[in-house]
Amino acid sequence: MKSSTQTILEHTQIPRHVAIIMDGNGRWAKKRFLPRVMGHKKGVDQLEAAVRRCSELGVEYLTVFAFSTENWRRPSDEVSFLMGLFVEALKKKVQALHRNGLRLRVIGNRDKFPTQIVDGIEESEKLTANNPGMTLTIAADFGGRQDILRAVNELLKEGVTTITEEDMLRHLSLGDAPEPDLFIRTGGEARISNFMLWQMAYAELYFTDTLWPDFDANELDKAIASFQKRERRFGRTSEQLPKDEQRP
Ligand code: IPE
Ligand code: IPE
Ligand code: MG
């Protein structure tokens, strides 16, 4: 489905970090009497479009939820297909990311992935690590609660007795990046589904019924335009805010 009206964006106040739950692939396929996996395939193309648009707009970090720890519960043929897509994308798309100066990171557990994926992730991260452009982070076998628990357990191993927010940031995935400013979920559900729980404490939330395979650059612009209308108060009153304040 094409968006009918073109969104005009202010090029100031672009979120530094956008986080997306790319949901609705299965329903997109079902509506077309296609197997669910065709929705995932189209979803990868739409991710490419989102990466291009975010990078063009000057977003510094784009983090996308590709596979949750809970998604292992899906039928095994769908899980295998998704793993295959991941391998293919690592093989075919990373060179283009690198050519465009982008960095790729992958967060989440790696121990359940086939070695082909683990090797592909390590190579891609190494290849793109020093690039100057936007950081694209793929959350795969990722769970927000598990990420918090892992951080706490690592801190316990260090022998700490009290834990500060700074300690947590040293151990959480993406703790070294700015927190997501804008969180987008496509596909009509208004839930967080165990995505980055700690880091999303003050993200602006944007939910849309648009299914991920239909979420094109103009849909992304609409989400950013909505973000630009929000007043981020971080606990303060409206009157306390300097005119251009966006972050705490
Ligand atoms: C999101 O689309 C992609 C993954 C979870 C891998 P879904 O597969 O959840 O699509 P719906 O929600 O069933 O439409
Ligand atoms: C969340 O989507 C995870 C990803 C998009 C990868 P789901 O479609 O699996 O979420 P729930 O289970 O319906 O909340
Ligand atoms: Mg879903």
Side-chain angles (χ1 to χ4, degrees), residues 133-222:
M134 184 178 81
T135 300
L136 167 65
T137 303
I138 312 279
D141 196 5
F142 181 87
R145 285 187 183 168
Q146 291 81 350
D147 199 44
I148 291 172
L149 283 177
R150 188 188 41 74
V152 171
N153 282 315
E154 285 174 10
L155 284 163
L156 290 175
K157 279 202 199 110
E158 284 180 6
V160 298
T161 46
T162 52
I163 296 175
T164 64
E165 287 194 18
E166 288 70 32
D167 289 331
M168 288 298 286
L169 291 180
R170 274 193 296 111
H171 287 270
L172 283 169
S173 299
L174 289 189
D176 55 343
E179 288 175 15
D181 301 294
L182 169 62
F183 161 87
I184 300 170
R185 182 174 186 140
T186 62
E189 314 294 352
R191 56 180 176 245
I192 291 176
S193 298
N194 200 21
F195 198 19
M196 295 190 288
L197 300 178
W198 180 283
Q199 298 89 329
M200 275 173 38
Y202 256 112
E204 294 296 329
L205 309 181
Y206 178 87
F207 297 99
T208 171
D209 288 337
T210 303
L211 304 171
W212 176 252
D214 289 324
F215 193 83
D216 58 14
N218 191 48
E219 290 287 325
L220 186 82
D221 284 6
K222 274 205 283 194

Side-chain angles (χ1 to χ4, degrees), residues 21-30 36 39-40 65-68 71 74 78 82 185-187 189 191 211-213:
I21 297 188
M22 309 181 290
D23 196 19
N25 295 349
R27 279 163 286 161
W28 181 92
K30 199 171 168 192
R36 289 178 56 82
H40 297 316
F65 208 3
F67 193 86
S68 73
N71 287 146
R74 293 197 175 193
E78 183 169 339
L82 286 167
R185 182 174 186 140
T186 62
E189 314 294 352
R191 56 180 176 245
L211 304 171
W212 176 252

